[in-house]
Amino acid sequence: MATKFVGHFKLHKSENFEPFMEALGVNIALRKIGSLASPELTVEQIDGDHFLVKEWTMVTKHQWDFTLGNEFQDKTVDGRDVKTTINFDGECLVISEQPVGDTGSPVSFTWELVDENNIRITAKTKEVVAYRHFKRLES
């Protein structure tokens, strides 16, 4: 199931992302940059349940090197310290971020394969939901 997400993807559509970032407490300058950015993702399966996910834009880079189900410390692109756990729930990959200290609210990202070439990521925090749509790029 996890291998369905392996590949290289680029954002092609975003819905309600700026209000989502505002709910996280992201400052206006970073919200504007984030709203205009068109990130790319690569997902690699290292071995079994061990994965490497890289996300980048012209101005930011972030990666998760993780084993499914194992919590790890992370610092988000917007500077929040979080404890992150990544698991499968049915056919979806679910990323759960819990704040460390006073660094914001819990966040979840649910990755769903719409078809073999499209991922829809549903991002939720508080009462705000955003959608990010990524298309698979040819290797």
Side-chain angles (χ1 to χ4, degrees):
M1 176 183 335
T3 58
K4 294 178 185 180
F5 291 95
V6 171
H8 184 190
F9 301 85
K10 184 168 179 70
L11 181 74
H12 77 94
K13 181 180 175 186
S14 197
E15 301 168 63
N16 209 41
F17 192 57
E18 190 166 348
F20 171 79
M21 290 186 291
E22 184 175 12
L24 288 175
V26 176
N27 71 54
I28 192 164
L30 285 178
R31 289 198 313 262
K32 294 299 179 189
I33 292 169
S35 292
L36 296 173
S38 187
E40 292 187 37
L41 298 169
T42 59
V43 180
E44 302 172 37
Q45 186 171 18
I46 306 301
D47 184 32
D49 287 345
H50 182 195
F51 290 85
L52 179 63
V53 176
K54 297 177 186 177
E55 179 180 23
W56 69 95
T57 68
M58 295 286 285
V59 294
T60 64
K61 287 191 286 187
H62 191 78
Q63 72 177 35
W64 300 278
D65 186 346
F66 65 94
T67 300
L68 290 172
N70 290 352
E71 183 178 82
F72 59 93
Q73 292 281 126
D74 193 23
K75 183 175 278 297
T76 63
V77 173
D78 62 331
R80 293 173 295 116
D81 291 311
V82 295
K83 290 183 179 181
T84 301
T85 306
I86 303 174
N87 277 304
F88 274 97
D89 183 5
E91 296 288 316
C92 297
L93 183 70
V94 179
I95 301 170
S96 174
E97 294 178 349
Q98 297 299 319
V100 173
D102 188 24
T103 60
S105 301
V107 180
S108 70
F109 300 93
T110 302
W111 293 31
E112 178 184 4
L113 273 166
V114 177
D115 59 40
E116 66 182 31
N117 293 312
N118 293 280
I119 294 175
R120 178 179 60 214
I121 298 176
T122 303
K124 296 180 184 178
T125 191
K126 300 178 184 173
E127 300 295 319
V128 181
V129 179
Y131 301 95
R132 310 273 276 170
H133 303 269
F134 288 81
K135 284 188 183 260
R136 187 181 302 271
L137 299 175
E138 296 297 321
S139 300

